[in-house]
Amino acid sequence: MINQPLRSFSLSSGRRLRAKRVPLLVMGILALVIALSPPSPRRYGDHLQIALPVLALGCEIANGNGLEYLGRYAVLFAGIHGTKRTLGDIPLNTRPNGKPYGFPSGHTATATFGAASLVNSCLLSSPVAKGAVILAAAFTGASRIQSHNHDIWQVLAGAIWGIACNGLFRRESFMRRVLRRGAKAAGRAARRGMRPVLAAGAGLPAQVFALRRAKPLRTRKGV
């Protein structure tokens, strides 16, 4: 029978082994994505911008934060496409190849979002793996410039938006605390504003009942 100290040591050793496997798994999958992609910087970027957020989703699900991650991704997606549609045909939103809807770079934002989530949640003890996912996100942005799909400002905006959506809307983030406090304050204000209406509404049934009990006035007969 394993005594308590030995059992605790075994459990901690198992956790360390699992913690070591995650960075190796992440780097192995990224290497496999590159190996199976056509030999083109654009294709590498196309596939990395899918692999990074998918790996981050798997990590967050394993940590019990899958729904929160999907919520942050929904904010990311809405911000990217909402900005593109809102800016329309202005030069800032025009791609180097002449096509519209270039600001911000969606590929860069998505890859950066996935890389930032991995760095914050799954790769805390592995500087090498952190560097690998950061380089993968940076390569994705560079591939968009190299393929003339985005300019440097569009790529930079995408990277900033990806980092912001990962950091600002996490459960423990300052922004989430501010949003929760704002929602509670708005709810209290709405309840205070509805009190006169509710009070007035509560008195209506009694008034209606009193009117029903009142005898109708007798009208005089016409002459």
Side-chain angles (χ1 to χ4, degrees):
M1 183 175 180
I2 302 176
N3 58 26
Q4 187 62 32
L6 184 57
R7 185 166 181 259
S8 300
F9 174 77
S10 300
L11 290 174
S12 62
S13 299
R15 292 192 189 98
R16 286 197 296 270
L17 286 174
R18 288 194 293 271
K20 290 179 180 179
R21 288 174 185 169
V22 171
L24 292 175
L25 179 63
V26 169
M27 291 189 293
I29 291 175
L30 291 179
L32 186 63
V33 167
I34 294 297
L36 296 178
S37 299
S40 163
R42 178 181 176 182
R43 293 303 182 189
Y44 294 151
D46 289 343
H47 295 164
L48 287 173
Q49 67 100 18
I50 297 173
L52 287 168
V54 170
L55 286 170
L57 174 61
C59 170
E60 295 289 4
I61 290 174
N63 291 336
N65 299 320
L67 288 178
E68 183 188 356
Y69 177 86
L70 291 175
R72 295 199 305 271
Y73 182 82
V75 174
L76 175 89
F77 185 87
I80 291 169
H81 293 281
T83 303
K84 289 175 183 289
R85 295 297 185 271
T86 301
L87 293 178
D89 296 330
I90 67 172
L92 181 65
N93 200 29
T94 303
R95 300 171 186 262
N97 57 17
K99 295 181 180 179
Y101 307 132
F103 188 93
S105 167
H107 278 62
T108 308
T110 306
T112 305
F113 175 79
S117 181
L118 286 168
V119 167
N120 289 333
S121 300
C122 288
L123 306 175
L124 297 175
S125 60
S126 177
V128 175
K130 286 181 182 180
V133 298
I134 292 171
L135 285 174
F139 182 89
T140 302
S143 72
R144 304 306 287 170
I145 298 174
Q146 190 268 345
S147 61
H148 303 291
N149 279 284
H150 294 285
D151 61 32
I152 189 171
W153 303 113
Q154 295 166 351
V155 166
L156 181 61
I160 292 172
W161 182 237
I163 294 171
C165 288
N166 173 71
L168 295 180
F169 299 103
R170 281 184 171 272
R171 182 180 301 167
E172 69 277 7
S173 69
F174 172 76
M175 180 60 71
R176 285 284 290 272
R177 293 197 296 269
V178 169
L179 291 175
R180 282 197 296 268
R181 291 172 185 171
K184 290 180 181 179
R188 289 194 296 266
R191 288 193 294 272
R192 286 195 297 268
M194 288 297 293
R195 284 174 186 170
V197 178
L198 294 175
L204 285 177
Q207 296 174 10
V208 172
F209 182 72
L211 288 174
R212 287 181 178 176
R213 289 181 59 88
K215 295 181 179 180
L217 296 174
R218 295 181 178 178
T219 58
R220 295 182 179 179
K221 297 181 179 180
V223 179

Coordinates of all heavy atoms in Angstrom, one line a residue, residues 53-147:
P53 N -5.8 28.5 -33.1 CA -7.0 28.6 -32.3 C -7.6 27.3 -31.9 O -8.2 27.1 -30.9 CB -7.9 29.5 -33.1 CG -7.4 29.5 -34.5 CD -5.9 29.3 -34.4
V54 N -7.5 26.3 -32.8 CA -8.0 25.0 -32.5 C -7.2 24.3 -31.4 O -7.8 23.7 -30.5 CB -8.0 24.1 -33.8 CG1 -8.3 22.6 -33.4 CG2 -9.0 24.6 -34.8
L55 N -5.9 24.4 -31.4 CA -5.1 23.9 -30.3 C -5.5 24.6 -29.0 O -5.6 24.0 -27.9 CB -3.6 24.1 -30.6 CG -3.0 23.2 -31.6 CD1 -1.6 23.6 -32.0 CD2 -2.9 21.8 -31.1
A56 N -5.7 25.9 -29.1 CA -6.0 26.7 -27.9 C -7.4 26.3 -27.4 O -7.6 26.2 -26.1 CB -6.0 28.2 -28.2
L57 N -8.3 26.0 -28.3 CA -9.7 25.5 -27.8 C -9.5 24.2 -27.1 O -10.2 24.0 -26.1 CB -10.6 25.3 -29.1 CG -11.9 24.7 -28.8 CD1 -12.7 25.5 -27.8 CD2 -12.7 24.5 -30.1
G58 N -8.7 23.2 -27.6 CA -8.5 22.0 -26.9 C -7.9 22.2 -25.6 O -8.4 21.5 -24.6
C59 N -7.0 23.1 -25.4 CA -6.4 23.4 -24.1 C -7.4 23.9 -23.2 O -7.5 23.5 -22.0 CB -5.3 24.3 -24.3 SG -4.6 25.0 -22.8
E60 N -8.3 24.9 -23.6 CA -9.2 25.5 -22.8 C -10.3 24.5 -22.4 O -10.8 24.5 -21.2 CB -9.9 26.7 -23.5 CG -8.9 27.8 -23.7 CD -8.5 28.6 -22.5 OE1 -8.9 28.2 -21.3 OE2 -7.8 29.6 -22.6
I61 N -10.7 23.6 -23.3 CA -11.7 22.6 -22.9 C -11.1 21.6 -21.8 O -11.8 21.3 -20.8 CB -12.1 21.7 -24.1 CG1 -12.9 22.6 -25.1 CG2 -12.9 20.5 -23.8 CD1 -13.2 21.9 -26.4
A62 N -9.8 21.3 -22.0 CA -9.2 20.4 -21.0 C -9.1 21.1 -19.6 O -9.2 20.5 -18.5 CB -7.8 20.1 -21.4
N63 N -9.0 22.5 -19.6 CA -9.0 23.2 -18.4 C -10.3 23.6 -17.8 O -10.5 24.2 -16.8 CB -8.2 24.5 -18.6 CG -6.7 24.3 -18.8 OD1 -6.2 23.3 -18.4 ND2 -6.0 25.2 -19.5
G64 N -11.4 23.2 -18.6 CA -12.8 23.5 -18.1 C -13.2 24.9 -18.5 O -14.2 25.4 -18.0
N65 N -12.6 25.6 -19.5 CA -12.9 26.9 -19.9 C -13.3 27.0 -21.3 O -13.1 28.1 -22.0 CB -11.7 27.9 -19.6 CG -11.3 27.9 -18.1 OD1 -12.2 27.9 -17.3 ND2 -10.1 27.9 -17.9
G66 N -13.8 25.9 -21.9 CA -14.2 25.9 -23.3 C -15.2 27.0 -23.7 O -15.1 27.7 -24.7
L67 N -16.3 27.1 -22.9 CA -17.3 28.0 -23.3 C -16.9 29.5 -23.2 O -17.2 30.3 -24.0 CB -18.5 27.8 -22.4 CG -19.4 26.6 -22.6 CD1 -20.5 26.4 -21.6 CD2 -19.9 26.5 -24.0
E68 N -16.0 29.7 -22.2 CA -15.5 31.1 -22.1 C -14.6 31.4 -23.3 O -14.6 32.5 -23.8 CB -14.7 31.2 -20.8 CG -14.1 32.6 -20.6 CD -13.2 32.7 -19.4 OE1 -13.1 31.7 -18.7 OE2 -12.6 33.8 -19.2
Y69 N -13.8 30.4 -23.7 CA -13.0 30.6 -24.9 C -13.8 30.9 -26.1 O -13.5 31.8 -26.9 CB -12.1 29.4 -25.1 CG -11.2 29.5 -26.3 CD1 -10.0 30.1 -26.3 CD2 -11.7 28.9 -27.5 CE1 -9.2 30.1 -27.4 CE2 -10.9 29.0 -28.7 CZ -9.6 29.6 -28.6 OH -8.9 29.6 -29.8
L70 N -14.9 30.2 -26.3 CA -15.7 30.4 -27.5 C -16.4 31.8 -27.4 O -16.6 32.4 -28.4 CB -16.8 29.3 -27.5 CG -16.3 27.9 -27.9 CD1 -17.4 26.9 -27.8 CD2 -15.6 27.9 -29.3
G71 N -16.7 32.2 -26.2 CA -17.3 33.6 -26.1 C -16.3 34.6 -26.5 O -16.6 35.6 -27.2
R72 N -15.0 34.5 -26.1 CA -14.0 35.4 -26.5 C -13.8 35.4 -28.0 O -13.6 36.4 -28.7 CB -12.6 35.1 -25.8 CG -12.7 35.3 -24.3 CD -11.3 35.4 -23.7 NE -10.4 34.4 -24.0 CZ -10.3 33.2 -23.3 NH1 -11.0 33.1 -22.2 NH2 -9.4 32.3 -23.7
Y73 N -13.8 34.1 -28.6 CA -13.7 34.0 -30.0 C -14.8 34.7 -30.8 O -14.6 35.3 -31.8 CB -13.6 32.6 -30.4 CG -13.4 32.4 -31.9 CD1 -12.1 32.5 -32.5 CD2 -14.5 32.1 -32.8 CE1 -11.9 32.3 -33.8 CE2 -14.3 32.0 -34.1 CZ -13.0 32.1 -34.7 OH -12.8 32.0 -36.0
A74 N -16.0 34.6 -30.2 CA -17.2 35.3 -30.8 C -17.0 36.8 -30.9 O -17.3 37.5 -31.9 CB -18.5 34.9 -30.1
V75 N -16.4 37.3 -29.8 CA -16.1 38.8 -29.8 C -15.1 39.1 -30.8 O -15.2 40.1 -31.5 CB -15.6 39.2 -28.4 CG1 -15.1 40.7 -28.4 CG2 -16.7 39.0 -27.3
L76 N -14.0 38.3 -30.9 CA -13.0 38.4 -31.9 C -13.6 38.5 -33.3 O -13.3 39.4 -34.1 CB -12.0 37.3 -31.8 CG -10.9 37.3 -32.9 CD1 -9.7 38.1 -32.4 CD2 -10.4 35.9 -33.1
F77 N -14.4 37.5 -33.6 CA -15.0 37.3 -35.0 C -15.9 38.5 -35.3 O -15.8 39.1 -36.4 CB -15.8 36.0 -35.0 CG -16.3 35.7 -36.4 CD1 -15.5 35.0 -37.3 CD2 -17.6 36.1 -36.8 CE1 -16.0 34.7 -38.6 CE2 -18.1 35.8 -38.0 CZ -17.3 35.1 -38.9
A78 N -16.7 38.9 -34.4 CA -17.6 40.0 -34.6 C -16.9 41.3 -34.8 O -17.2 42.1 -35.7 CB -18.6 40.2 -33.4
G79 N -15.8 41.5 -34.0 CA -15.0 42.7 -34.2 C -14.3 42.8 -35.5 O -14.3 43.9 -36.2
I80 N -13.8 41.7 -36.0 CA -13.1 41.6 -37.3 C -14.0 42.0 -38.4 O -13.8 43.0 -39.2 CB -12.5 40.3 -37.5 CG1 -11.3 40.0 -36.6 CG2 -12.0 40.2 -39.0 CD1 -10.8 38.5 -36.6
H81 N -15.1 41.3 -38.5 CA -16.0 41.5 -39.7 C -16.9 42.7 -39.5 O -17.2 43.3 -40.6 CB -16.8 40.2 -39.9 CG -16.0 39.0 -40.3 ND1 -15.6 38.8 -41.6 CD2 -15.5 38.0 -39.5 CE1 -14.9 37.7 -41.6 NE2 -14.8 37.2 -40.4
G82 N -17.2 43.1 -38.3 CA -17.9 44.3 -38.1 C -17.1 45.5 -38.6 O -17.6 46.4 -39.2
T83 N -15.8 45.5 -38.2 CA -15.0 46.6 -38.6 C -14.8 46.7 -40.1 O -14.8 47.7 -40.8 CB -13.6 46.5 -38.0 OG1 -13.8 46.5 -36.5 CG2 -12.7 47.7 -38.3
K84 N -14.6 45.5 -40.8 CA -14.4 45.5 -42.2 C -15.6 46.0 -42.9 O -15.5 46.8 -43.9 CB -14.2 44.0 -42.7 CG -12.8 43.4 -42.3 CD -12.8 42.0 -42.7 CE -11.5 41.3 -42.3 NZ -10.4 41.7 -43.1
R85 N -16.8 45.7 -42.5 CA -18.1 46.1 -43.1 C -18.3 47.6 -42.8 O -18.8 48.3 -43.7 CB -19.2 45.3 -42.7 CG -19.2 43.8 -43.1 CD -19.2 43.7 -44.6 NE -19.2 42.3 -45.1 CZ -18.2 41.5 -45.3 NH1 -17.0 42.0 -45.1 NH2 -18.3 40.3 -45.7
T86 N -18.0 48.0 -41.7 CA -18.2 49.4 -41.3 C -17.3 50.4 -42.0 O -17.8 51.5 -42.5 CB -18.0 49.6 -39.8 OG1 -18.9 48.7 -39.1 CG2 -18.3 51.0 -39.4
L87 N -16.1 50.0 -42.2 CA -15.1 50.9 -42.9 C -15.4 51.1 -44.4 O -15.0 52.1 -45.0 CB -13.7 50.5 -42.6 CG -13.2 50.6 -41.2 CD1 -11.8 50.0 -41.1 CD2 -13.3 52.0 -40.7
G88 N -16.0 50.0 -45.0 CA -16.4 50.1 -46.4 C -15.2 50.3 -47.3 O -14.2 49.5 -47.3
D89 N -15.2 51.3 -48.2 CA -14.3 51.4 -49.3 C -13.1 52.4 -49.0 O -12.5 52.9 -49.9 CB -15.0 51.8 -50.6 CG -15.9 50.8 -51.1 OD1 -15.7 49.6 -50.8 OD2 -17.0 51.1 -51.7
I90 N -13.0 52.8 -47.8 CA -11.9 53.8 -47.5 C -10.5 53.2 -47.7 O -10.4 51.9 -47.7 CB -12.0 54.3 -46.1 CG1 -11.7 53.3 -45.0 CG2 -13.4 54.9 -45.8 CD1 -11.6 53.8 -43.6
P91 N -9.5 54.0 -48.0 CA -8.2 53.4 -48.3 C -7.6 52.5 -47.2 O -6.9 51.5 -47.5 CB -7.3 54.6 -48.4 CG -8.2 55.7 -48.9 CD -9.5 55.4 -48.2
L92 N -7.9 52.8 -45.9 CA -7.4 52.0 -44.8 C -7.9 50.6 -44.9 O -7.2 49.6 -44.5 CB -7.9 52.6 -43.5 CG -7.4 51.9 -42.2 CD1 -5.9 51.9 -42.0 CD2 -8.1 52.5 -41.0
N93 N -9.1 50.4 -45.5 CA -9.7 49.1 -45.6 C -9.5 48.4 -46.9 O -10.0 47.3 -47.1 CB -11.3 49.2 -45.4 CG -11.9 48.0 -44.9 OD1 -11.4 47.1 -44.3 ND2 -13.2 47.8 -45.3
T94 N -8.7 49.0 -47.7 CA -8.4 48.4 -49.1 C -7.1 47.6 -49.0 O -6.1 48.0 -48.5 CB -8.2 49.5 -50.1 OG1 -9.4 50.3 -50.1 CG2 -7.9 48.9 -51.5
R95 N -7.1 46.4 -49.5 CA -5.9 45.5 -49.5 C -4.9 46.0 -50.5 O -5.3 46.6 -51.5 CB -6.4 44.1 -49.8 CG -7.4 43.5 -48.8 CD -7.9 42.2 -49.3 NE -9.0 41.6 -48.5 CZ -8.8 40.7 -47.5 NH1 -7.6 40.2 -47.3 NH2 -9.8 40.3 -46.8
P96 N -3.7 45.6 -50.4 CA -2.7 45.9 -51.4 C -3.0 45.4 -52.8 O -2.5 45.9 -53.8 CB -1.4 45.3 -50.8 CG -1.6 45.2 -49.4 CD -3.0 44.9 -49.2
N97 N -3.7 44.3 -52.9 CA -4.1 43.7 -54.2 C -5.3 44.4 -54.8 O -5.9 44.0 -55.8 CB -4.3 42.2 -54.1 CG -5.4 41.8 -53.0 OD1 -6.2 42.7 -52.6 ND2 -5.4 40.6 -52.7
G98 N -5.8 45.4 -54.1 CA -7.0 46.2 -54.6 C -8.3 45.8 -54.1 O -9.3 46.4 -54.3
K99 N -8.4 44.6 -53.4 CA -9.7 44.1 -52.9 C -10.1 44.8 -51.6 O -9.2 45.4 -50.9 CB -9.6 42.6 -52.7 CG -9.4 41.8 -54.0 CD -9.3 40.3 -53.7 CE -9.1 39.5 -55.0 NZ -9.0 38.1 -54.7
P100 N -11.4 44.9 -51.3 CA -11.8 45.6 -50.1 C -11.7 44.7 -48.9 O -11.3 43.5 -48.9 CB -13.3 45.9 -50.4 CG -13.7 44.7 -51.3 CD -12.5 44.4 -52.1
Y101 N -12.2 45.2 -47.7 CA -12.3 44.5 -46.5 C -11.0 44.0 -46.0 O -10.8 42.8 -45.7 CB -13.3 43.4 -46.6 CG -14.7 43.8 -47.1 CD1 -15.3 43.1 -48.1 CD2 -15.3 45.0 -46.6 CE1 -16.5 43.5 -48.6 CE2 -16.5 45.4 -47.1 CZ -17.1 44.6 -48.1 OH -18.4 45.1 -48.6
G102 N -10.0 44.8 -45.9 CA -8.7 44.4 -45.4 C -8.3 44.8 -44.0 O -7.3 44.3 -43.5
F103 N -9.1 45.6 -43.3 CA -8.7 46.1 -42.0 C -9.7 45.6 -41.0 O -10.9 46.0 -41.1 CB -8.7 47.6 -42.0 CG -8.1 48.2 -40.7 CD1 -6.8 48.5 -40.6 CD2 -8.9 48.5 -39.7 CE1 -6.2 49.0 -39.5 CE2 -8.4 49.0 -38.5 CZ -7.1 49.3 -38.4
P104 N -9.3 44.9 -40.0 CA -7.9 44.4 -39.8 C -7.7 43.0 -40.5 O -8.7 42.5 -41.0 CB -7.9 44.2 -38.2 CG -9.3 43.8 -37.9 CD -10.2 44.6 -38.9
S105 N -6.5 42.5 -40.4 CA -6.2 41.2 -40.9 C -6.9 40.1 -40.1 O -6.5 39.9 -38.9 CB -4.7 40.9 -41.0 OG -4.4 39.6 -41.3
G106 N -7.8 39.4 -40.6 CA -8.5 38.3 -39.9 C -7.6 37.1 -39.6 O -7.6 36.5 -38.5
H107 N -6.8 36.8 -40.6 CA -5.8 35.7 -40.4 C -4.9 36.0 -39.2 O -4.7 35.1 -38.3 CB -4.9 35.5 -41.6 CG -5.6 34.6 -42.7 ND1 -6.7 35.0 -43.3 CD2 -5.2 33.4 -43.3 CE1 -7.1 34.1 -44.2 NE2 -6.2 33.1 -44.2
T108 N -4.3 37.2 -39.2 CA -3.4 37.6 -38.1 C -4.1 37.6 -36.8 O -3.6 37.2 -35.7 CB -2.8 38.9 -38.4 OG1 -2.2 38.9 -39.7 CG2 -1.7 39.3 -37.4
A109 N -5.3 38.2 -36.7 CA -6.1 38.3 -35.5 C -6.4 36.9 -34.9 O -6.2 36.7 -33.7 CB -7.4 39.1 -35.7
T110 N -6.8 36.0 -35.8 CA -7.2 34.6 -35.3 C -5.9 33.9 -34.8 O -6.0 33.2 -33.8 CB -7.8 33.9 -36.4 OG1 -8.9 34.6 -36.9 CG2 -8.3 32.5 -35.9
A111 N -4.8 34.0 -35.6 CA -3.6 33.3 -35.2 C -3.1 33.8 -33.9 O -2.6 33.1 -33.0 CB -2.6 33.4 -36.3
T112 N -3.1 35.2 -33.8 CA -2.6 35.8 -32.5 C -3.4 35.5 -31.3 O -2.9 35.2 -30.2 CB -2.5 37.3 -32.7 OG1 -1.7 37.6 -33.9 CG2 -1.9 38.0 -31.5
F113 N -4.7 35.4 -31.6 CA -5.7 35.1 -30.5 C -5.4 33.7 -30.0 O -5.3 33.4 -28.8 CB -7.1 35.2 -31.0 CG -8.1 34.7 -30.0 CD1 -8.5 35.5 -29.0 CD2 -8.7 33.5 -30.2 CE1 -9.5 35.1 -28.1 CE2 -9.7 33.0 -29.3 CZ -10.1 33.8 -28.3
G114 N -5.2 32.7 -30.9 CA -4.9 31.3 -30.5 C -3.6 31.2 -29.8 O -3.4 30.6 -28.8
A115 N -2.5 31.9 -30.3 CA -1.2 31.9 -29.7 C -1.2 32.5 -28.3 O -0.6 31.9 -27.4 CB -0.2 32.6 -30.6
A116 N -1.9 33.6 -28.2 CA -1.9 34.3 -26.8 C -2.7 33.4 -25.8 O -2.3 33.3 -24.7 CB -2.6 35.6 -27.0
S117 N -3.7 32.7 -26.3 CA -4.4 31.8 -25.3 C -3.6 30.7 -24.9 O -3.5 30.3 -23.7 CB -5.7 31.3 -26.0 OG -6.4 30.5 -25.1
L118 N -2.8 30.1 -25.9 CA -1.9 29.0 -25.5 C -0.8 29.4 -24.5 O -0.5 28.7 -23.6 CB -1.3 28.4 -26.8 CG -2.2 27.6 -27.7 CD1 -1.5 27.4 -29.1 CD2 -2.5 26.2 -27.0
V119 N -0.3 30.6 -24.8 CA 0.8 31.1 -23.9 C 0.2 31.3 -22.5 O 0.9 31.0 -21.5 CB 1.3 32.4 -24.5 CG1 2.2 33.2 -23.4 CG2 2.2 32.2 -25.7
N120 N -1.0 31.8 -22.4 CA -1.6 32.1 -21.1 C -2.1 30.9 -20.3 O -2.2 30.9 -19.1 CB -2.7 33.2 -21.2 CG -2.2 34.5 -21.6 OD1 -1.1 34.9 -21.3 ND2 -3.0 35.3 -22.2
S121 N -2.5 29.9 -21.1 CA -3.2 28.8 -20.4 C -2.5 27.4 -20.4 O -2.7 26.7 -19.5 CB -4.6 28.6 -21.1 OG -5.4 29.7 -21.1
C122 N -1.7 27.1 -21.4 CA -1.2 25.8 -21.5 C 0.3 25.7 -21.6 O 0.9 24.6 -21.4 CB -1.7 25.1 -22.8 SG -3.5 24.7 -22.7
L123 N 1.0 26.7 -21.8 CA 2.5 26.7 -22.1 C 3.2 27.5 -21.0 O 4.3 28.1 -21.3 CB 2.8 27.1 -23.5 CG 2.0 26.4 -24.6 CD1 2.4 27.1 -25.9 CD2 2.4 24.9 -24.6
L124 N 2.7 27.6 -19.8 CA 3.2 28.5 -18.8 C 4.7 28.1 -18.4 O 5.5 28.9 -18.1 CB 2.3 28.5 -17.6 CG 0.9 29.0 -17.8 CD1 0.1 28.9 -16.5 CD2 1.0 30.5 -18.2
S125 N 5.0 26.8 -18.5 CA 6.3 26.3 -18.0 C 7.2 26.0 -19.2 O 8.2 25.3 -18.9 CB 6.1 25.1 -17.1 OG 5.4 24.0 -17.9
S126 N 6.9 26.4 -20.4 CA 7.7 26.0 -21.5 C 8.0 27.2 -22.4 O 7.3 27.6 -23.3 CB 7.0 24.9 -22.4 OG 7.8 24.6 -23.5
P127 N 9.2 27.9 -22.1 CA 9.5 29.0 -23.0 C 9.7 28.7 -24.4 O 9.4 29.5 -25.3 CB 10.9 29.5 -22.3 CG 10.9 29.0 -21.0 CD 10.1 27.7 -21.0
V128 N 10.2 27.5 -24.7 CA 10.4 27.0 -26.1 C 9.1 27.0 -26.8 O 9.0 27.5 -28.0 CB 11.2 25.7 -26.2 CG1 11.3 25.2 -27.6 CG2 12.5 25.8 -25.5
A129 N 8.1 26.3 -26.2 CA 6.8 26.2 -26.9 C 6.1 27.6 -27.0 O 5.5 27.9 -28.0 CB 5.9 25.3 -26.1
K130 N 6.3 28.4 -26.0 CA 5.8 29.8 -26.1 C 6.4 30.5 -27.3 O 5.6 31.1 -28.1 CB 6.1 30.6 -24.9 CG 5.3 30.2 -23.6 CD 5.7 31.1 -22.5 CE 5.0 30.8 -21.2 NZ 5.4 31.7 -20.1
G131 N 7.7 30.4 -27.5 CA 8.3 31.0 -28.6 C 7.8 30.5 -29.9 O 7.7 31.2 -30.9
A132 N 7.6 29.1 -30.0 CA 7.1 28.5 -31.2 C 5.7 29.0 -31.6 O 5.5 29.3 -32.8 CB 7.1 27.0 -31.0
V133 N 4.8 29.1 -30.7 CA 3.5 29.6 -31.1 C 3.5 31.1 -31.4 O 2.7 31.6 -32.3 CB 2.4 29.3 -30.0 CG1 2.3 27.8 -29.8 CG2 2.7 30.0 -28.7
I134 N 4.3 31.9 -30.7 CA 4.4 33.3 -31.1 C 5.0 33.5 -32.5 O 4.5 34.3 -33.2 CB 5.3 34.0 -30.0 CG1 4.5 34.1 -28.7 CG2 5.6 35.4 -30.5 CD1 5.3 34.6 -27.5
L135 N 6.0 32.7 -32.8 CA 6.6 32.8 -34.1 C 5.6 32.3 -35.2 O 5.6 32.9 -36.3 CB 7.9 31.9 -34.2 CG 9.1 32.5 -33.5 CD1 10.3 31.5 -33.5 CD2 9.6 33.8 -34.2
A136 N 4.8 31.3 -34.9 CA 3.8 30.8 -35.8 C 2.8 31.9 -36.1 O 2.4 32.2 -37.3 CB 3.1 29.6 -35.3
A137 N 2.4 32.7 -35.1 CA 1.4 33.8 -35.3 C 2.1 34.9 -36.1 O 1.4 35.5 -37.0 CB 0.9 34.3 -33.9
A138 N 3.3 35.2 -35.7 CA 4.0 36.3 -36.4 C 4.2 35.9 -37.9 O 4.1 36.7 -38.8 CB 5.4 36.5 -35.8
F139 N 4.5 34.6 -38.2 CA 4.7 34.2 -39.5 C 3.4 34.3 -40.3 O 3.4 34.6 -41.5 CB 5.2 32.7 -39.6 CG 5.4 32.2 -41.0 CD1 6.7 32.3 -41.6 CD2 4.4 31.6 -41.7 CE1 6.9 31.9 -42.8 CE2 4.6 31.1 -43.0 CZ 5.9 31.2 -43.5
T140 N 2.3 34.0 -39.7 CA 1.0 34.1 -40.3 C 0.8 35.6 -40.8 O 0.3 35.8 -41.9 CB -0.2 33.7 -39.4 OG1 0.1 32.4 -39.0 CG2 -1.5 33.8 -40.0
G141 N 1.1 36.5 -39.9 CA 0.9 37.9 -40.3 C 1.9 38.3 -41.4 O 1.5 39.0 -42.4
A142 N 3.1 37.8 -41.4 CA 4.1 38.1 -42.4 C 3.7 37.5 -43.7 O 3.9 38.1 -44.8 CB 5.5 37.6 -42.0
S143 N 3.0 36.3 -43.7 CA 2.6 35.7 -44.9 C 1.5 36.5 -45.6 O 1.4 36.5 -46.8 CB 2.1 34.3 -44.6 OG 0.9 34.3 -44.0
R144 N 0.7 37.2 -44.8 CA -0.4 38.0 -45.4 C 0.2 39.2 -46.1 O -0.3 39.7 -47.1 CB -1.4 38.4 -44.3 CG -2.0 37.3 -43.5 CD -2.6 36.3 -44.4 NE -3.9 36.8 -45.0 CZ -4.5 36.2 -46.0 NH1 -4.1 35.0 -46.5 NH2 -5.7 36.7 -46.4
I145 N 1.3 39.8 -45.6 CA 2.0 40.9 -46.3 C 2.7 40.4 -47.5 O 2.6 41.0 -48.6 CB 3.0 41.6 -45.3 CG1 2.2 42.1 -44.1 CG2 3.8 42.6 -46.0 CD1 3.2 42.7 -43.0
Q146 N 3.4 39.2 -47.4 CA 4.1 38.7 -48.5 C 3.2 38.4 -49.7 O 3.6 38.5 -50.9 CB 4.9 37.5 -48.1 CG 5.9 36.9 -49.1 CD 5.3 35.9 -50.0 OE1 4.2 35.3 -49.7 NE2 6.0 35.6 -51.1
S147 N 2.0 37.9 -49.4 CA 1.0 37.5 -50.5 C 0.2 38.7 -51.0 O -0.7 38.5 -51.8 CB 0.1 36.4 -50.0 OG -0.7 36.9 -48.8

